[in-house]
DNA sequence: AGTGTTATTGCAACCGATCTCAGCAACCGA
DNA sequence: TCGGTTGCTGAGATCGGTTGCAATAACACT
């Protein structure tokens, strides 16, 4: 592959560098005849433009960072999946940045991305998003956040309606006859996590029952602890809402280890709608977040903001996914 | 942020561009006094070098592609996790490339990465690796593969000893009294998948029992089908080895839906050692692959090859992880 | 025919580094 | 004292494109 630069194509096509450049990046500025000739020649040579050189000059690249706390968490994995797809549908390359919840790391990623002229970035927060920090780096660079952001409307966001989701779960459980319904938190301290918890507290109170928070931790062991707590109770709830699917898995697993069966002894419902849930034992009933949509929309929002500067806050509707981990209350 | 280029630092420090450049990338070539002064000035300005400009000139970047078929599969997610870590420990940025098993896509990624001057790439195959295709693109660029490669020693690989793994599983099951042990395949058609299956067939025969392949498909539904097949058998095995954890999950889930309990009715053992397995219901007994090591080693191999051109084939040892999905045979 | 547009293309500076070469000062041994 | 090293720094070309500006050609209109 004799180094293929724009100049060799230019020479081969008998035109100037700049014309070749335009043929590729501003087709309407080149006589169609010439353009086609150039493209044909380039094709024949197997030439493609160097994204690096382009980025250097244009000061904007096609690399977009996706910042997640933990790719091992299937929620973020599914997000990453749809985002890579959405990204390369539009010619972007997704750069995976895993912070492990360390804000210092995400700072590092931001500067790196700035240096790479990323046109924007997507942040799936592990902790409440600090808009100040964002601003400090985002600098010209735009960011869209997959979470609610407190007191700052200047950053586009996409979320799902937490309250609605919890309501769906609660209604489903009520319709099965459950009245005593526990809650296990478990995602990191994001606004979304907060919102779900608040919604649970509020809606439970509204329906006249007593809220039972089995665990309000924010790590992966919340599920295990929640289950332990449950097992120690004198009068445990008959159903449990888990703040997310991973926690639900942990709850069911821990319960199972103590001989409790789901849904026979307790009903458990998750929140996320992970594909994995369908192959859990039992298949997990859950509130589905439209993750695929979130990914696409996040990128759209970013592009939109880049274009006309508009800042949107999209709130998606969750959906109940009834599988096998909840059942009619029998007494 | 008044655009920070090497020239402004040079001016501010009262030296020439090239000296600043050297101060950063070839420290020993600059009088330590000067160097420290430059570094101080740069620090004060908040200057960092543009990786893009560097890559353009040096013809080698710090971007390294990780090509996986599906990031949603926890195995690849865990791999990605350790690799991002290993990568940025050494100053690389991981570019996530998801092929969905489409070879055309991975071709695309290869050319893209070539254009980005990636120093090398990591391929976690979804299908038997085609060395020819690799060569066509790898071009100067080096690739290390997380799978065995057929008939070509020129590409570094890291794998775990499939035979040993299957042996571990078999021995464990035997020690629990099982003699009739089924097998469900299920990972895509990689050499590794093939190796596991072959090992099962061979070792089973050696021990004088009859191999029972419940399903040899290579998709995610293999587990479900395997379970169905199992349920239809007149004289089903008392234990099942799943080619990987995801399949094991599916098997257990499907069995559960038909009222069969694991490990009470059947023992099931997986292969992978996913963190998720610990929170499955029941916690999954499995053969652990040292995924974290694989990630680090993959990068080391790549760097090593880049350095002295050596090509290694590392085979790691798997390890038995006894949790709750296998138990003593009782008749 | 003369003048004003508009469509195309070439020129050359520029993006932010790297790297070879050359210059210069200090140092060494004879 | 002089040729020969060695250590450090500056010059300037270069990597592969982009883009504002100038030049030319083609076409329209009076």
């Amino acid at each position: 592959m004799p180094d293929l630069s724009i100049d060799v194509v230019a020479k081969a096509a008998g035109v100037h560098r700049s014309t070749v450049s335009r043929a590729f990046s501003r087709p309407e500025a080149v006589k169609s005849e010439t353009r086609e000739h150039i493209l044909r020649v380039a094709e024949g040579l197997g030439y493609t433009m160097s994204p690096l050189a382009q980025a250097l000059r244009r000061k904007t690249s096609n690399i977009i960072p996706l910042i997640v706390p933990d790719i091992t968490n299937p929620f973020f994995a599914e997000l990453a999946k749809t985002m890579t797809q959405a990204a390369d549908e539009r010619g972007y390359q997704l750069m995976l940045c895993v912070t492990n919840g360390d804000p210092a790391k995400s700072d590092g990623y931001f500067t790196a991305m700035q240096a790479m002229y990323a046109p924007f970035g997507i942040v799936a927060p592990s902790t409440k998003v600090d808009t100040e920090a964002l601003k400090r780096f985002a600098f010209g660079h735009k960011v869209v956040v997959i979470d609610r952001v407190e007191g700052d409307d200047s950053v586009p966001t996409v979320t799902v309606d937490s309250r609605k989701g919890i309501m769906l779960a609660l209604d489903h459980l009520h319709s099965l006859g459950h009245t005593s319904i526990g809650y296990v938190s478990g995602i990191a301290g994001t606004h979304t996590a907060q919102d779900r918890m608040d919604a649970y507290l509020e809606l439970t109170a509204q329906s006249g029952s007593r809220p039972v928070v089995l665990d309000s931790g924010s790590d992966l062991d919340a599920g295990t602890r929640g289950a332990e707590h449950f097992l120690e109770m004198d009068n445990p709830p008959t159903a449990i809402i888990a703040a997310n699917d991973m926690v639900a898995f942990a709850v069911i697993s821990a319960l199972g280890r103590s001989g409790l069966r789901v849904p026979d002894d307790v009903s458990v419902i998750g929140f996320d709608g992970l594909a994995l849930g369908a192959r859990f034992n039992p298949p997990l009933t859950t509130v589905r977040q439209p993750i695929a949509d979130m990914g696409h929309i996040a990128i759209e929002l970013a592009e939109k903001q880049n274009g006309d500067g508009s800042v949107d806050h999209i709130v998606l509707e969750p959906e109940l996914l009834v599988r096998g981990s909840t059942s009619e209350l029998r007494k």
Side-chain angles (χ1 to χ4, degrees), chain A:
Chain A
M1 202 75 43
D3 265 4
L4 238 38
S5 80
I6 198 174
D7 287 298
V8 345
V9 178
K11 212 153 303 166
V15 299
H16 191 266
R17 273 206 326 299
S18 45
T19 305
V20 177
S21 171
R22 284 188 280 255
F24 279 91
S25 30
R26 213 139 38 74
E28 74 285 1
V30 170
K31 187 166 35 158
S32 60
E33 224 174 305
T34 331
R35 170 167 29 99
E36 275 159 30
H37 172 228
I38 294 178
L39 261 27
R40 209 183 330 282
V41 171
E43 167 84 48
L45 264 47
Y47 166 83
T48 43
M49 287 217 165
S50 158
L52 255 54
Q54 276 186 163
L56 181 57
R57 187 60 231 256
R58 291 182 167 164
K59 286 175 174 298
T60 168
S61 71
N62 66 342
I63 297 180
I64 91 178
L66 170 63
I67 302 192
V68 298
D70 178 13
I71 191 65
T72 265
N73 180 323
F75 172 75
F76 296 116
E78 292 199 10
L79 188 63
K81 178 183 194 159
T82 76
M83 293 251 316
T84 13
Q85 193 196 324
D88 54 49
E89 271 167 15
R90 301 166 195 240
Y92 296 114
Q93 301 277 344
L94 209 60
M95 190 84 87
L96 185 60
C97 306
V98 181
T99 64
N100 281 315
D102 178 359
K105 269 207 158 174
S106 65
D107 276 18
Y109 284 130
F110 272 123
T111 61
M113 288 312 131
Q114 184 148 297
M116 297 246 194
Y117 295 119
F120 54 81
I122 312 287
V123 178
S126 50
T127 130
K128 293 189 184 177
V129 172
D130 172 2
T131 333
E132 288 319 308
L134 232 53
K135 289 253 170 87
R136 188 149 27 98
F137 294 98
F139 242 78
H141 295 235
K142 312 304 182 182
V143 171
V144 0
V145 173
I146 312 246
D147 187 20
R148 191 164 58 73
V149 173
E150 197 93 65
D152 187 338
D153 288 341
S154 70
V155 21
T157 57
V158 28
T159 42
V160 335
D161 189 336
S162 300
R163 194 164 196 283
K164 176 75 181 295
I166 296 295
M167 192 182 302
L168 249 27
L170 245 15
D171 286 354
H172 171 63
L173 259 15
H174 286 154
S175 79
L176 292 173
H178 297 273
T179 52
S180 174
I181 301 171
Y183 187 84
V184 182
S185 183
I187 31 184
T190 60
H191 290 106
T192 298
Q194 190 65 52
D195 291 350
R196 291 186 193 169
M197 176 86 128
D198 290 350
Y200 165 75
L201 260 19
E202 190 187 325
L203 291 170
T204 305
Q206 245 172 54
S207 74
S209 12
R210 189 173 45 86
V212 185
V213 175
L214 295 165
D215 195 279
S216 59
S218 58
D219 56 311
L220 277 172
D221 285 326
T224 311
R225 288 194 308 269
E228 281 163 8
H229 187 176
F230 176 95
L231 291 165
E232 290 164 358
M233 290 182 72
D234 290 335
N235 212 323
T238 59
I240 300 177
I241 297 181
N244 63 60
D245 283 0
M246 289 299 284
V247 170
F249 295 158
V251 168
I252 296 177
S253 178
L255 253 23
R257 260 168 286 160
S258 300
L260 280 194
R261 317 263 318 256
V262 172
D264 306 294
D265 300 318
V266 208
S267 283
V268 174
I269 183 170
F271 200 129
D272 272 350
L274 300 180
L276 241 53
R279 301 177 201 290
F280 199 73
N281 181 31
L284 188 68
T285 295
T286 185
V287 175
R288 195 180 85 84
Q289 303 197 61
I291 301 185
D293 295 342
M294 298 176 76
H296 281 86
I297 292 178
I299 292 196
E300 273 162 29
L301 287 190
E303 289 194 316
K304 187 140 170 289
Q305 175 178 240
N306 254 16
D308 60 18
S310 66
V311 174
D312 296 348
H313 302 280
I314 303 284
V315 177
L316 268 21
E317 290 291 290
E319 187 182 297
L320 184 67
L321 212 58
V322 179
R323 294 197 282 229
S325 65
T326 50
S327 69
E328 195 110 9
L329 177 67
R330 53 179 177 215
K331 241 306 148 44

